[in-house]
Amino acid sequence: MSSDTNGNAQDSADLILGSVPGEPALGRGPISEDHFERRDYHHPAAGWGAARSVAEVIAKAGEPIEGPRAIRRMNHENGGFDCPGCAWPDDTKGLHLDICENGIKHVMWELTHKRTDRDFFAAHTVTKLAGWSDFALEDQGRLTEPMRYDPASDRYVPISWEDAFTIVGVALNRLESPHQASFYTSGRLSNEGSFLYSLWAREYGTNNLPDCSNMCHEASGRALTASIGTGKGTADLKDWEEADAIFVLGVNAATNAPRMLTYLAKAHRRGARIVHINPLVEAAATRTIVPHEFAAMARFKSTELSTLNVQPRIGGDLALLRGVAKAVCELAETDPGAIASEFVDRYTTGFEDYRDACAAASWAELERQSGVSQATMRQIADVYVQAKRTIICWCLGITQQEHGVDSVREIVNLLLLRGNIAREGCGPSPVRGHSNVQGNRTFGIDHRPSEALLDRLARVCGIDPPRQHGLDTVGTIEAMRRGEVKVFVGMGGNFALCTPDTATTSEAIRRCELTVQISTKLNRSHVVHGRQALILPCLARSEKDHQRGGVQAVTVEDSMAMVHLSLGMKEPISPDLRSEPAIISGMAQASLPGSRTPWQEYVDDYDRIRDTMAKVFDGIEDFNRRVRRPLGFRIRQPAREGVFLTPSGRAEFAAGPVPDVVPADGRLTLSTKRSHDQFNTTIYSNDDRYRGVKNLRTVVFMNRDDMRERDLAEYDLVDITSIARDGTRRTVYGYRAVAYDIPAGCAAGYMPELNVLCPIGDFSSQSDQPLMKHLLVEVVRGVGAPAVNPVEG
């Protein structure tokens, strides 16, 4: 099957933006889609498929020695560096190969021999680079020295670190208000970097600290805080090893948290029940061969990963969970032990109202909204009631929706019914994405800081932090678009590509007076820039961080609140790279000339940063000693101990309404996904092994009946149009319709390409998150392929 049409996007006539015809689609992979296919994947997750992929990646990187050496040091308690990929915790028993395929891909991506140096920039105008695919930009290799955009030549040119810092300082000090600057953070920034970055912003005078959590797990943090008084999950790996039942909602673990497969496999072997709830039956819901289990690999012996697979409609999770809770309450009428009454009476409030809400919900409406039968919901309830200890984990399939907060609160409601909090082997367990996204929020990256944190910063650090809440990610984009934010600093990530409504975001970025990107590789955010622009190259996680006090280690916090050290093992690829703390310090000193903060002393020895952090944040007392223990230490979670820091002093049930998520006739609900050969916005190839896709990213997965209603055959070209709340429409053209096992009325496709369909104004009223996994769309037979890219508007 050949493809002769690129999938590209433009806004429709009622939202016209300038554009450059003929440019490649955003996020596209390394090669054309001239030859593609899709076949059902029937092999175990991980196993020999992962082993073969790792061998190919190491060979392609040309690192037969450094590659395996890095793999041995990754996630290792004795002087290793933390995997820069997902936030799944390190094995509690010190497993020597606590690694995964995607983590290895990311490390090999860092270890590339390719360089994006001054000669490269001299040879290419930014206008020319803007026409390259995102794969092609990152494939040029590691950045080697600071660069400044020169509008006269339309090129990036070298600049010294000192001069770059001066540009930042001058631009910030020219602003009429500190709130005209915004300081974005990706999840890769270390705990020390997060603290210094937030300290700089607040000493400068703003809480404009948007971060990637605003687009991912903001709903989880708000829901958990409201329900149990902490923004984090309470379960740890030991709990995973003791649970009798594990519910997995909206998670594609084989791709997003592959090391989780080890614990699902262990759970199945000991007889635990595993229920996967997801519109798509992903590879992690089938079976696996764990690569470091050598006997199983040798015998090709796989382990089942699921007891029950349930496929609700997109957005139907809350109705499904309410149905399960309703069934539990009905079981309790004849079996009082179905509800942990003693726990509920002692530790919770709001149960009666919640029970009444469950009783009031009709089975017919719960079935309609969830897309799941009453019999299946009762089956899930039976699994839940029969288990003594249950963990419920979830990811972005739950949070990136209008009612994400209510859905997470419904998860907690279900756990509270049977006392599955504040006991071993149970609890809520959000599956975080980037390696330190949880640590960012713990250590200061928060546009809505508490008064307690600000008071502590004032006392410990001697600054006068602003009390006004700042801008989140969507708020920053809108403020840039209005001309109210004039300086944007991006600490890692690829802001121009990972955000919603990429055309609008790019337009907003270009209105800035200065954009600063701290990065390891070239990406879209360097070619979509402000009137002045800086690229500041930083060390990778795997590289040694040399400072005056010796080689420094940083710390990270995983998704289960374990904090541990990460120490680079390889010499930096360029002498002109600096660490993130050093870059932050340089910008802070240039923009805060009268600061009494010991910025340089902090950079000389990171222990000094941690000593200050220990005075500011609760739960990390004696930081430097405790973090040097094998595997580090866990930050105390009061809710795990039955202490609920809510207004009532108890865990709180919440009886939110069941929303209407059924799309109107002729429309579908579309969810964006990540492919297996992808890390956030970094795309390694056009393949998606676990979904059986080869060399195709401009694809929309559809239910066969939905395709039949639209008279579509496999691989037909289609146009996908999203309908915003304000009535505007955004369209991508020339995508391929592919039949997939997904509920009727639902569709799925890849991010970041389909981020263009998510309107900037369509964000959750509960969490302010963009609705990346709940887009209302129309899919019609393609009428052509205009090949227009709105980000280049």
Side-chain angles (χ1 to χ4, degrees), residues 112-117 120 124 129 132 135-143 521-522:
T112 178
H113 290 288
K114 297 179 181 179
R115 302 289 180 262
T116 308
D117 55 18
F120 169 85
H124 301 90
L129 293 174
W132 288 21
F135 174 89
L137 292 173
E138 295 200 32
D139 194 47
Q140 302 313 303
R142 292 285 302 281
L143 296 161
K521 281 194 172 185
L522 189 65

Side-chain angles (χ1 to χ4, degrees), residues 81 92 97 172 184 187 244 275 359 378-379 433 490 492 517 583 630 692 777:
F81 65 93
T92 56
L97 285 175
L172 288 174
Y184 173 78
D244 300 318
V275 179
R378 290 190 181 278
Q379 185 180 5
Q517 299 291 342
I583 296 172
V777 302

Side-chain angles (χ1 to χ4, degrees), residues 690-708:
Y690 291 145
R691 297 190 183 105
V693 175
K694 185 74 173 177
N695 195 33
L696 184 64
R697 287 191 60 86
T698 52
V699 58
V700 56
F701 299 105
M702 298 178 64
N703 177 279
R704 289 186 182 277
D705 290 340
D706 290 332
M707 290 179 62
R708 193 175 299 114

Side-chain angles (χ1 to χ4, degrees), residues 429-610:
S429 188
V431 180
R432 308 279 183 177
H434 219 316
S435 61
N436 197 43
V437 64
Q438 186 159 300
N440 292 167
R441 184 60 58 90
T442 298
F443 297 109
I445 304 298
D446 190 350
H447 67 287
R448 305 193 315 167
S450 68
E451 286 295 317
L453 171 59
L454 298 178
D455 289 344
R456 193 79 66 88
L457 282 171
R459 185 171 68 254
V460 173
C461 300
I463 68 171
D464 183 17
R467 302 289 164 160
Q468 175 184 335
H469 283 177
L471 298 172
D472 64 1
T473 296
V474 170
T476 291
I477 295 168
E478 292 179 327
M480 288 193 295
R481 193 180 187 194
R482 295 191 300 266
E484 295 169 5
V485 164
K486 302 177 183 296
V487 173
F488 176 84
V489 183
M491 181 56 68
N494 189 351
F495 190 83
L497 201 59
C498 71
T499 43
D501 206 342
T502 40
T504 298
T505 298
S506 295
E507 174 194 1
I509 291 171
R510 289 191 172 106
R511 293 186 179 185
C512 289
E513 294 177 1
L514 171 67
T515 53
V516 183
Q517 299 291 342
I518 294 87
S519 311
T520 55
K521 281 194 172 185
L522 189 65
N523 64 42
R524 181 67 52 186
S525 296
H526 304 132
V527 297
V528 177
H529 56 79
R531 286 185 281 276
Q532 292 188 88
L534 294 170
I535 301 175
L536 305 182
C538 64
L539 296 171
R541 187 73 61 78
S542 57
E543 291 173 323
K544 291 181 179 179
D545 183 354
H546 295 278
Q547 302 296 342
R548 292 177 184 173
V551 175
Q552 302 296 309
V554 295
T555 64
V556 295
E557 178 188 353
D558 64 35
S559 62
M560 298 183 191
M562 285 293 297
V563 179
H564 55 274
L565 284 170
S566 178
L567 185 66
M569 45 73 71
K570 187 177 183 291
E571 290 299 325
I573 59 101
S574 167
D576 291 320
L577 302 185
R578 292 196 181 183
S579 71
E580 289 159 329
I583 296 172
I584 294 166
S585 172
M587 293 189 292
Q589 291 180 77
S591 57
L592 302 170
S595 174
R596 293 184 295 173
T597 301
W599 297 105
Q600 189 56 53
E601 292 179 20
Y602 281 153
V603 174
D604 292 344
D605 186 346
Y606 296 176
D607 277 358
R608 295 168 183 162
I609 307 175
R610 289 185 282 269

Side-chain angles (χ1 to χ4, degrees), residues 93 236-246 261-274 303-304 389-391 425-426:
K93 298 177 178 62
D236 62 16
L237 282 185
K238 185 178 179 182
D239 295 320
W240 275 73
E241 293 174 336
E242 296 179 358
D244 300 318
I246 299 173
L261 299 180
T262 300
Y263 291 85
L264 292 176
K266 288 179 180 179
H268 190 276
R269 291 182 195 128
R270 68 173 181 269
R273 310 290 294 278
I274 305 172
T303 300
E304 297 295 321
R389 297 175 296 273
T390 299
I391 284 174
C426 58

Side-chain angles (χ1 to χ4, degrees), residues 172-243:
L172 288 174
N173 286 313
R174 280 179 177 170
L175 298 180
E176 296 176 359
S177 165
H179 304 305
Q180 291 179 323
S182 192
F183 302 83
Y184 173 78
T185 312
S186 85
R188 64 152 284 161
L189 185 61
S190 68
N191 293 331
E192 293 76 14
S194 297
F195 174 66
L196 290 186
Y197 197 55
S198 61
L199 180 63
W200 172 36
R202 292 190 172 109
E203 185 172 351
Y204 176 67
T206 186
N207 284 311
N208 288 349
L209 285 160
D211 69 335
C212 56
S213 284
N214 299 152
M215 297 178 283
C216 300
H217 269 289
E218 189 74 35
S220 296
R222 296 191 188 187
L224 290 170
T225 298
S227 292
I228 61 175
T230 175
K232 306 176 185 181
T234 64
D236 62 16
L237 282 185
K238 185 178 179 182
D239 295 320
W240 275 73
E241 293 174 336
E242 296 179 358

